[in-house]
Each structure stands twice: as structure tokens, then as C-alpha cells.
């Protein structure tokens, strides 16, 4: 199916808003940083609005026929993700209001420091995180859309465009890490916490490589092209039933592993900040 300009503009809007949000969140003055936090909150609420829109399509009640028993969990996953987005969005709006009252300037060098990440690492981190979070519900819903729906390919164009960009940002970040050494973990962490924090980071990198790669290989073996905006990249090999194996990893195994790893990453950071009172845990990337 040919790619129209509409879905490419949607993908571009998501990308530009992600970059701007990351930029404002790491700006020098607190009011501008508060505006970045506000944009992040509005982005979460936009996911809720999008979810309310797709409820009107009836696809959640009558999706594409299940290929595996795990497909039946997709509507519940979307409900859960929309609920999390709603709560997170409201919390970010409150945080933005409080942040606007601060007078603490943020002086960030380009490269990383001993105790915190620099501007480049933060821009890559938050842009990647926002795009990756947007990819998850879009991908789940796209796989539920019946094949005869007129908008099915539009969702895949957006999903694949964001996926290609996330993979590119990951490669850039890995290169940047060789140039600018990552800051050390908080000295107040216990040795076991150091090890687990390191393992979770490694697993996150592995997941961000594995998810787009398996998606590309699955799509190619299925005989479908990969999209990057209006650019349509045809498969480099012929159709094969191997897409079932790669699809099992991309659509089922890796996403559930990602939920666990990403959840552990977020909960660990929150625990160190709010329970253990390790002030440097969050400030390494957000302060």
C-alpha cells in the first residue's frame, strides 16, 4: 500500500514534540524546565485521548482474529497503559506547577560529569524514552487492526518510522558513551544495588536493540516493507515462515520482558529517591 503524507506528518509531529520536550526539560531556567515537564504531562494525556479515540473504532471489542492466546490480553494491556498514562500525566502537571516556583538554575555541560549526565546524554535519553513509550501502545493497537481497515497501514508507517529512529538514537547513544564516560552510580547504593542497576541498564540496551531488529526481520520475512516517513524500504530477502519465530519474539516475548525490565528500572529509581533518600539517584538524569 502506498504511503501518504498524512501519517508521515503525524510521525514527524510525535518526533518534534519529543525532541522539544527533552530540550525544555533540560533547559537552564526552571520555568522553561517546568514547561518541558508540562509538555511531558500533556503527552501522557494525549495517549489517554488517543485511547479514547480508538475505543470508538470498536476494534478493542472486535479485533483482528487472535493468532495466539496472548493476543487476547492486548485490550487489557491498552487499558492498563492508558490508566498509567493518565496518572503519570496528572502527576507531571503537578510537578510542573511546583517546578515553576523554583529558582534553581541548571548548568549543564555538553559532556557527562562525574555525578550526573550532560546535555547530550539527557537529550538522547529523554527523546528515546518518549518515542519508545509512544511505540508500545501504537504497536499493540496496529497488530489488532483488521487487515481490511483503511487506516491499518497508516499506523504501521508511524510505528515503523518511530522504531527506525529509536534504533538510530540507540546507536548514537552507544557511540556517545564511548566518547563521554557515564557518571558513577550514587556512592550511597549498596554493592548489590550497584550490580542490579548495572544489569538493568545492560538489559535495557539489549531490549532496545532486540525489539526493533526482531520487528524489522519479522516484517521482512512476512514480505512487508519497512517505512521511514514516505521512504518505503523493500525486504532484502524473500518471504518465509520464519516470520512466525521472529514475530513471537517481537510481539510476545520481548514486550513482556520489556515491561518487567522497564518497570524495575523506574521503580528502582523511585525507591532510591523517595524511600532510600538517595538524592543523587534521580538528579543524575533529571536535575
Amino acid at each position: 500500500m502506498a504511503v501518504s503524507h498524512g501519517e508521515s506528518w503525524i510521525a514527524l509531529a510525535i518526533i518534534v514534540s519529543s525532541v522539544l520536550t527533552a530540550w525544555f526539560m533540560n533547559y537552564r531556567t526552571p520555568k522553561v524546565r517546568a514547561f518541558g515537564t508540562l509538555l511531558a504531562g500533556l503527552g501522557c494525556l494525549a495517549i489517554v485521548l488517543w485511547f479514547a479515540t480508538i475505543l470508538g473504532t470498536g476494534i478493542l471489542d472486535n479485533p483482528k482474529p487472535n493468532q495466539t492466546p496472548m493476543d487476547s490480553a492486548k485490550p487489557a494491556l491498552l487499558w492498563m497503559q492508558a490508566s498509567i498514562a493518565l496518572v503519570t500525566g496528572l502527576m507531571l502537571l503537578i510537578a510542573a506547577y511546583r517546578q515553576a516556583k523554583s529558582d534553581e538554575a541548571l548548568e549543564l555541560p555538553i559532556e557527562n560529569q562525574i555525578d550526573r549526565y550532560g546535555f547530550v546524554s539527557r537529550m538522547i535519553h529523554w527523546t528515546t524514552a518518549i518515542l519508545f513509550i509512544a511505540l508500545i501502545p501504537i504497536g499493540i493497537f496496529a497488530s489488532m487492526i483488521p487487515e481490511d481497515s483503511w487506516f491499518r497501514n497508516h499506523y504501521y508507517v508511524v510505528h515503523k518510522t518511530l522504531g527506525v529512529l529509536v534504533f538510530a538514537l540507540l546507536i548514537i547513544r552507544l557511540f556517545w558513551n564511548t566518547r563521554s564516560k557515564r557518571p558513577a552510580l550514587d556512592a550511597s547504593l549498596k554493592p548489590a544495588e550497584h550490580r542490579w542497576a548495572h544489569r538493568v541498564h545492560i538489559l535495557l540496551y539489549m531490549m532496545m536493540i532486540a525489539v526493533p531488529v526482531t520487528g524489522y526481520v519479522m516484517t521482512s520475512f512476512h514480505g512487508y516493507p519497512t517505512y521511514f516517513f514516505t521512504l518505503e524500504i523493500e525486504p532484502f530477502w524473500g518471504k518465509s515462515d520464519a516470520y512466525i519465530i521472529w514475530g513471537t519474539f517481537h510481539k510476545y516475548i520481548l514486550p513482556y520482558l520489556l515491561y518487567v525490565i522497564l518497570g524495575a528500572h523506574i521503580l528502582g529509581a523511585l525507591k532510591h529517591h523517595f524511600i532510600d533518600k538517595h538524592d543523587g539517584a534521580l538528579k543524575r538524569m533529571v536535575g
Side-chain angles (χ1 to χ4, degrees), residues 21-214:
T21 299
W23 181 282
F24 289 134
M25 285 174 64
N26 293 285
Y27 201 76
R28 181 179 182 276
T29 58
K31 283 185 170 54
V32 177
R33 294 203 305 276
F35 181 66
T37 305
L38 174 65
L39 287 180
L42 293 176
C44 291
L45 297 181
I47 293 176
V48 178
L49 180 61
W50 166 80
F51 180 71
T53 302
I54 67 172
L55 284 176
T57 65
I59 290 177
L60 264 66
D61 298 321
N62 188 26
K64 177 182 176 182
N66 290 346
Q67 297 170 310
T68 72
M70 298 176 72
D71 284 320
S72 59
K74 290 179 179 178
L77 283 174
L78 287 176
W79 273 104
M80 181 181 66
Q81 289 167 14
S83 301
I84 293 174
L86 177 61
V87 174
T88 304
L90 294 176
M91 291 177 63
L92 286 172
L93 294 185
I94 295 172
Y97 174 75
R98 293 176 177 174
Q99 195 174 21
K101 295 182 177 181
S102 171
D103 57 358
E104 183 180 356
L106 179 63
E107 300 292 345
L108 279 181
I110 296 296
E111 297 191 2
N112 298 331
Q113 297 175 298
I114 296 176
D115 59 341
R116 61 179 178 174
Y117 288 94
F119 182 76
V120 171
S121 290
R122 293 186 183 209
M123 280 295 299
I124 297 173
H125 173 87
W126 288 115
T127 303
T128 304
I130 295 169
L131 292 175
F132 204 77
I133 290 171
L135 270 170
I136 296 173
I138 293 175
I140 292 174
F141 181 67
S143 67
M144 297 172 62
I145 302 174
E147 296 187 7
D148 57 352
S149 298
W150 64 270
F151 55 86
R152 183 172 184 267
N153 199 59
H154 300 341
Y155 272 91
Y156 276 110
V157 171
V158 175
H159 182 68
K160 292 178 182 181
T161 297
L162 298 185
V164 170
L165 187 58
V166 164
F167 185 74
L169 286 172
L170 176 62
I171 300 302
I172 293 171
R173 181 166 185 179
L174 290 173
F175 171 78
W176 180 251
N177 285 345
T178 64
R179 172 182 169 84
S180 183
K181 187 178 179 181
R182 293 176 56 195
L185 292 173
D186 195 310
S188 59
L189 295 179
K190 300 175 183 177
E193 292 175 325
H194 270 266
R195 290 194 296 272
W196 277 110
H198 179 69
R199 290 168 183 169
V200 169
H201 274 105
I202 295 298
L203 286 173
L204 277 174
Y205 278 117
M206 292 174 62
M207 292 297 295
M208 286 192 291
I209 292 174
V211 171
V213 168
T214 54

